[in-house]
């Protein structure tokens, strides 16, 4: 199936090689040659995936990635890092990249990563983000780990699933029924007090001031809304 891919890269040779490769694989490819242009295109276009070089003129790939995630962009992001330094990899994943590839790489390897990411996106029918950052919190969905201010916070399974659902549906109001159906797989009138209790626990663990939450908002009479 054809996907829309944005390639943000400044090396002309690589732009040509990768554009051809991705087009031949049946994808629609657009390109941007610096960080600012990449951010602008990504913000207005409907893309399934962005291949984002870290070292770019005008704005680094890290900055582009961070800004996109902060604005709620939820397409897959594959970062191209210049070296194998762990710092680059961890940094990229913490700011919301889904995967990374270290330069130099063989073009078929990039295609394989792209196809794997697109499959994951399609299968989960959502963005399939593997990590998400907001305020001083980093959530690693693959390892089911959460760091607040660099310190691990322990979450029960349902708390984690609830947080995941809220993050996947960030910025929109999710109703109580929706949460009970999707997170608890309840239908009908099971005591929805369970939901309030779990929301309270999440706030205790994640909010600076649980009495006056900045991220997990109550929408009276309806449900909740998560804002990063
Ligand atoms: Ca570059």
């Amino acid at each position: 199936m054809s996907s829309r891919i944005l390639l943000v890269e400044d090396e002309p040779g690589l732009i040509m090689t990768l554009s051809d490769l991705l087009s031949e694989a049946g994808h629609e490819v657009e390109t941007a040659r610096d960080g600012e242009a990449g951010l602008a295109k990504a913000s207005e276009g409907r893309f399934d995936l962005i291949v984002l070089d870290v070292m770019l003129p005008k704005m680094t790939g890290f900055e582009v990635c961070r800004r996109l995630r902060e604005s709620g962009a939820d397409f897959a992001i594959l970062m191209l890092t210049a070296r194998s330094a762990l710092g680059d990899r961890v940094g990229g994943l913490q700011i919301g990249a889904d995967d990374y590839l270290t330069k130099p790489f063989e073009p078929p390897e990039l295609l394989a990563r792209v196809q794997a990411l697109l499959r994951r996106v399609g299968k989960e029918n959502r963005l399939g983000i593997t990590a998400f950052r907001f305020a001083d919190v980093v959530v690693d969905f693959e390892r089911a780990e959460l760091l607040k201010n660099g310190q691990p916070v322990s979450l029960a399974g349902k708390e984690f699933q609830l947080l995941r659902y809220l993050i996947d549906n960030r910025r929109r109001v999710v109703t109580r029924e929706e949460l009970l159906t999707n997170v608890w797989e309840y239908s009908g009138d099971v005591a929805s007090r369970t939901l309030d209790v779990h929301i309270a626990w999440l706030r205790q663990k994640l909010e600076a001031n649980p009495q006056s939450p900045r991220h997990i908002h109550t929408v009276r009479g309806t449900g909740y809304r998560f804002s990063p």
Side-chain angles (χ1 to χ4, degrees), residues 9-11 53-57 103:
E9 171 61 69
D10 59 320
E11 292 171 41
D53 188 26
V54 168
M55 298 299 289
L56 290 167
K103 286 181 175 180

Side-chain angles (χ1 to χ4, degrees), residues 2-6 27-30 45-49 118:
S2 170
S3 299
R4 292 198 67 200
I5 298 176
L6 175 63
H27 302 301
E28 256 180 77
V29 185
E30 287 192 38
R46 292 279 306 160
F47 293 99
D48 300 300
L49 181 142
L118 288 171

Side-chain angles (χ1 to χ4, degrees), residues 116-146:
L117 268 181
L118 288 171
R119 268 197 304 277
R120 199 162 87 200
V121 171
K123 192 157 53 192
E124 295 186 3
N125 197 20
R126 57 186 176 203
L127 283 164
I129 51 173
T130 57
F132 189 81
R133 191 182 83 151
F134 61 98
D136 57 358
V137 176
V138 178
V139 193
D140 182 332
F141 291 114
E142 289 198 323
R143 295 180 174 178
E145 286 175 355
L146 190 143

